[in-house]
């Protein structure tokens, strides 16, 4: 629908390697034909569903395809251009720095290359502001988390504000947040904004309670926080007390089977309460979606008007980790409004 494509949008929850489009995958496959990877192994098409565990297998396949600096640069630039083409005006990308012994890629070079991609897109005049969150994969444990925080801090100080925060992600069934608490607290104390995947699966209430009291600056998914799905009122109260925004990804949660159907998505619970809720893609490549499609899906599922969706996209500006850009983005939204209504 043209309205949703033209609607100016803010994307706050996008994992770099989950956002790789079909056309970029084709270019990567051509670079590495010996891997014998087909598109069915890197994406979950419409109508298909996978368990969350199977989704994490998909990321492993993509990581095999993206293992040099050249790959990272191409992937990041393509992803940024694709979000811009979809009407995203502000993008926060997140990615887990990866070391690849076989190609000599280091974690530092990994981050530097993503930053280079952001700078190149800016110089090429791509109409989008991009910021970066360094991701901690929880499966790698406390020590790696602490190293990653130090790396993120270095980059925050050396990139003129392009690195703005830290993400906690990775398989939610592995490890416990209590072990990562010192690293997360250190990140918070040095000025990195925190976006934490929380209560993505049931039975994480203890961990969520612990991590919500840091408190984080945003929550990824938060699918099982509220009492109706086995969370608790006290978790909800903590989120509300801190007014912590939620990043909500409809297609990702339905295809990954943590939510049973679109109409059952917890977007409605939080939206009806007037709580800051931001619609995001999560992994637009893997889940074969884009942000305009997610907005349209939310509107049709929950019977929201175009005006409602406009307001939702505008309010997302206040949830970004770039305070220096907020005024400029609000101005842009006001300028674009008459072209839509
Ligand atoms: P990358 O960090 O390599 O750019 O993007 C892929 C990684 O993002 C995955 O390996 C995983 O750690 C994380 N990720 C992507 N989607 C999800 C999700 O839905 N839930 C969680 N917990 N992590 C995710």
């Amino acid at each position: 629908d043209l309205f949703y494509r033209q609607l100016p949008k803010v994307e706050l929850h996008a994992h770099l390697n989950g956002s790789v489009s079909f056309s970029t995958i084709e270019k990567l496959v051509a670079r590495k034909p010996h891997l014998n990877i087909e598109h069915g192994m890197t994406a979950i098409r419409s109508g298909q569903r996978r368990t969350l565990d199977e989704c994490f297998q998909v990321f492993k396949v993509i990581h095999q395809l993206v293992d040099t600096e050249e790959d990272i640069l191409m992937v990041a630039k393509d992803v940024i251009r694709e979000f811009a083409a979809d009407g995203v005006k502000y993008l926060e990308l997140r990615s887990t720095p990866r070391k690849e012994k076989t190609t000599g890629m280091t974690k530092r070079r990994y981050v530097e290359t993503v930053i280079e991609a952001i700078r190149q897109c800016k110089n090429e005049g791509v109409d989008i502001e991009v910021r970066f969150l360094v991701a901690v994969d929880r499966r790698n444990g406390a020590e790696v988390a602490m190293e990653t925080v130090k790396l993120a801090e270095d980059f925050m100080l050396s990139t003129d504000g392009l690195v703005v925060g830290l993400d906690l992600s990775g398989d939610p069934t592995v490890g416990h947040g209590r072990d990562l608490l010192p690293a997360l607290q250190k990140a918070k104390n040095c000025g990195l904004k925190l976006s934490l995947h929380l209560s993505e699966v049931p039975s994480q209430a203890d961990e969520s309670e612990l991590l919500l009291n840091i408190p984080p600056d945003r929550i990824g998914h938060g699918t099982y926080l509220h009492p109706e799905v086995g969370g608790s009122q006290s978790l909800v109260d903590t989120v509300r007390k801190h007014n912590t925004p939620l990043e909500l990804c409809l297609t990702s949660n339905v295809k990954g089977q943590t939510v049973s159907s679109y109409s059952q998505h917890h977007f409605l619970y939080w939206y009806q309460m007037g709580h800051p809720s931001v619609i995001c893609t999560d992994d637009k490549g893997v889940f074969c979606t884009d942000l305009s499609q997610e907005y349209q899906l939310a509107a049709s599922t929950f019977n929201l008007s175009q005006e409602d969706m406009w307001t939702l996209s505008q309010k997302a500006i206040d949830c970004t980790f770039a305070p220096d850009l907020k005024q400029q983005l609000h101005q842009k939204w006001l300028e674009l409004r008459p072209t839509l209504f």
Side-chain angles (χ1 to χ4, degrees):
D1 186 309
L2 198 58
F3 174 82
Y4 291 102
R5 204 149 302 281
Q6 288 178 342
L7 179 69
K9 292 172 290 296
V10 164
E11 170 65 79
L12 299 182
H13 190 127
H15 299 271
L16 179 59
N17 285 296
S19 301
V20 185
S21 65
F22 179 45
S23 66
T24 307
I25 291 283
E26 281 189 315
K27 290 190 276 182
L28 292 163
V29 166
R31 285 181 181 183
K32 294 167 222 261
H34 57 281
L35 291 176
N36 281 320
I37 289 170
E38 302 156 29
H39 191 227
M41 297 157 74
T42 65
I44 303 164
R45 294 199 187 87
S46 87
Q48 293 184 333
R49 300 204 176 170
R50 301 281 170 89
T51 63
L52 204 55
D53 198 49
E54 289 167 332
C55 293
F56 285 102
Q57 298 305 317
V58 173
F59 296 122
K60 285 192 186 149
V61 176
I62 298 172
H63 285 160
Q64 283 185 279
L65 281 173
V66 183
D67 67 350
T68 68
E69 288 173 30
E70 293 74 47
D71 297 336
I72 300 287
L73 187 70
M74 177 178 78
V75 160
K77 289 185 77 179
D78 282 3
V79 165
I80 291 168
R81 289 195 197 107
E82 287 155 2
F83 274 112
D86 188 39
V88 173
K89 303 297 176 193
Y90 176 86
L91 164 66
E92 273 172 29
L93 264 184
R94 56 185 77 191
S95 194
T96 324
R98 225 173 342 116
K99 173 185 162 126
E100 291 287 350
K101 275 199 205 99
T102 48
T103 67
M105 185 165 69
T106 63
K107 292 186 181 183
R108 191 168 287 277
R109 282 302 297 152
Y110 186 102
V111 178
E112 279 168 0
T113 307
V114 178
I115 299 299
E116 176 61 21
I118 296 173
R119 294 213 165 107
Q120 285 190 19
C121 286
K122 179 103 191 157
N123 291 339
E124 287 164 19
V126 184
D127 180 23
I128 188 168
E129 286 287 345
V130 184
R131 297 292 182 267
F132 187 59
L133 309 182
V134 177
V136 169
D137 185 337
R138 52 186 292 148
R139 79 158 53 237
N140 297 329
E143 207 171 312
V144 172
M146 192 57 94
E147 280 167 27
T148 308
V149 168
K150 288 185 185 142
L151 191 68
E153 187 182 2
D154 282 357
F155 278 105
M156 177 182 66
L157 298 171
S158 65
T159 55
D160 297 325
L162 288 183
V163 173
V164 291
L166 193 86
D167 150 86
L168 174 64
S169 53
D171 190 340
T173 62
V174 179
H176 195 288
R178 91 171 73 78
D179 303 323
L180 307 173
L181 199 56
L184 299 175
Q185 256 152 354
K186 179 177 161 59
K188 176 106 186 166
N189 291 339
C190 75
L192 288 159
K193 297 287 184 190
L194 290 186
S195 170
L196 309 181
H197 284 62
L198 286 185
S199 285
E200 198 177 351
V201 292
S203 79
Q204 282 188 300
D206 284 355
E207 174 182 292
S208 292
E209 189 179 345
L210 193 70
L211 298 185
L212 279 174
N213 282 303
I214 297 179
D217 300 282
R218 290 198 312 252
I219 294 164
H221 304 299
T223 313
Y224 291 92
L225 286 172
H226 57 292
E228 281 135 68
V229 288
S232 72
Q233 191 57 45
S234 109
L235 288 173
V236 172
D237 291 344
T238 309
V239 174
R240 298 201 69 193
K241 180 175 80 189
H242 297 295
N243 206 33
T244 316
L246 270 82
E247 305 153 355
L248 302 171
C249 313
L250 276 73
T251 299
S252 162
N253 294 160
V254 170
K255 285 193 173 179
Q257 296 182 0
T258 53
V259 170
S260 57
S261 68
Y262 287 102
S263 62
Q264 293 298 311
H265 197 277
H266 52 296
F267 169 85
L268 192 62
Y269 177 90
W270 294 96
Y271 180 80
Q272 278 179 338
M273 223 155 46
H275 189 83
S277 308
V278 185
I279 292 182
C280 304
T281 53
D282 207 9
D283 300 287
K284 72 173 182 61
V286 169
F287 296 116
C288 301
T289 187
D290 58 33
L291 195 53
S292 19
Q293 206 173 306
E294 295 301 301
Y295 268 78
Q296 193 170 353
L297 198 53
S300 63
T301 305
F302 303 110
N303 231 328
L304 302 174
S305 67
Q306 291 188 342
E307 185 85 36
D308 294 332
M309 299 316 284
W310 165 270
T311 305
L312 203 57
S313 95
Q314 192 181 32
K315 282 188 169 167
I317 297 171
D318 297 318
C319 304
T320 64
F321 291 163
D324 53 312
L325 287 178
K326 282 186 189 177
Q327 205 189 347
Q328 178 187 323
L329 289 170
H330 275 295
Q331 186 60 37
K332 190 164 226 165
W333 260 241
L334 291 180
E335 281 162 17
L336 289 168
R337 196 185 149 87
T339 65
L340 279 160
F341 294 101

